[in-house]
């Protein structure tokens, strides 16, 4: 059967009887919102927290060490699942996909247009969901241009990228293009090849705007049912939702950040365990040395 073929080792009805008794007589079609968790997942989580003591990772004691080691182990397994490694990507835990998107919006080094040269461009596919389109609320206040792109335009308007003319200063303005690997609305899957196409400025709108192009690949819907190989499609920012993938726990997602891209992010607010040092009476603050420590919600347990 389908279930045995894909490695479940049980028949469909047997799996439903064992893991999903609560949906008897119910037709559930909202997997784009979240999948249903199996009963064994809840029992496994309960067994874990009832047998172990997890402390604040900022302290120095056995329970704190257990928390730290568990989180780092999970972080590594996430990178392994997406076929990448800590040398290439960092996993920043967030409260969900929307929080991951807002993190990018708030820390991306947007540049307003000025007499010194063109500013940043925030571009997004019209098939993106609300949390992506909402980034323009941040960019509008910073004088950043916004371009909504129809799905067919990415390839049909592609051409050779703009070249620098003699006497013209090179443009280093950072630009961001966002698109969903899979549409939350229609389920349509978009080519993952767009990632490199935009980064290399071969595809629209990157081919019409100078500067450095970053790609945010919204993979929240996609990875709940399809594999994503970041070694082949190295998007700069990849927001995901574990709630959509597993159904439990709620309020947990992550932002997978390409380490090369993470260097351009600029964080202003600090809290919890994200600060290496600061002074109360003076405007002095030193962030933690690595990306994960500066942004991760596990640093604020």
């Amino acid at each position: 059967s389908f279930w045995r073929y894909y490695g479940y080792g049980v028949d469909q009805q047997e799996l439903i009887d064992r893991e999903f008794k609560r949906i008897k007589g119910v037709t559930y079609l909202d997997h784009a919102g979240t999948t249903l968790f199996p009963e064994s997942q809840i029992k496994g989580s309960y067994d874990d927290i009832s047998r172990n003591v997890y402390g604040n990772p900022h302290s120095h004691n056995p329970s704190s060490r257990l928390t730290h080691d568990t989180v780092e182990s999970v972080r590594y397994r996430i990178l392994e699942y997406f076929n990448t490694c800590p040398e290439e990507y960092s996993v920043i835990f967030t409260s969900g996909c929307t929080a991951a998107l807002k993190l990018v919006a708030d820390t991306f080094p947007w540049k307003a247009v000025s007499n010194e040269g063109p500013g940043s461009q925030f571009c997004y596919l019209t098939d993106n969901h609300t949390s992506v389109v909402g980034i323009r609320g941040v960019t509008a206040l910073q004088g950043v241009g916004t371009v909504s792109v129809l799905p067919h335009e990415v390839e049909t308007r592609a051409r050779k990228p703009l070249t620098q003319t003699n006497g013209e200063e090179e443009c280093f303005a950072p630009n961001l293009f966002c698109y969903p690997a899979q549409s939350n609305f229609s389920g349509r899957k978009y080519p993952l090849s767009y990632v490199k196409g935009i980064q290399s400025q071969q595809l629209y709108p990157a081919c019409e705007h100078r500067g450095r192009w970053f790609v945010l690949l919204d993979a929240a819907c996609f990875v709940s049912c399809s594999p994503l190989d970041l070694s082949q499609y190295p998007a700069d920012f990849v927001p995901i939702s574990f709630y959509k993938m597993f159904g439990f726990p709620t309020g947990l997602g992550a932002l997978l950040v390409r380490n090369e891209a993470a260097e351009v992010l600029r964080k202003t607010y600090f809290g919890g365990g994200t600060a290496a040092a600061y002074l109360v009476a003076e405007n002095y603050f030193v962030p933690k040395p690595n990306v994960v420590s500066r942004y991760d919600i596990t640093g604020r347990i």
Side-chain angles (χ1 to χ4, degrees), residues 1-12 15 18 81 189 224-227:
S1 69
F2 170 89
W3 301 94
R4 289 187 185 280
Y5 180 80
Y6 282 96
Y8 287 96
V10 295
D11 289 321
Q12 179 179 358
L15 182 70
R18 189 179 70 194
Y81 179 78
K189 293 182 179 180
S224 64
C225 59
S226 305

Side-chain angles (χ1 to χ4, degrees), residues 180-220:
Q182 181 173 336
S183 170
N184 276 32
F185 173 72
S186 65
R188 175 181 176 182
K189 293 182 179 180
Y190 290 94
L192 296 176
S193 58
Y194 284 1
V195 171
K196 290 184 177 180
I198 293 293
Q199 290 170 334
S200 62
Q201 296 182 246
Q202 300 293 321
L203 298 176
Y204 178 79
C207 61
E208 294 191 0
H209 298 278
R210 294 187 180 90
R212 182 180 178 186
W213 280 87
F214 296 86
V215 175
L216 185 152
L217 179 68
D218 180 2

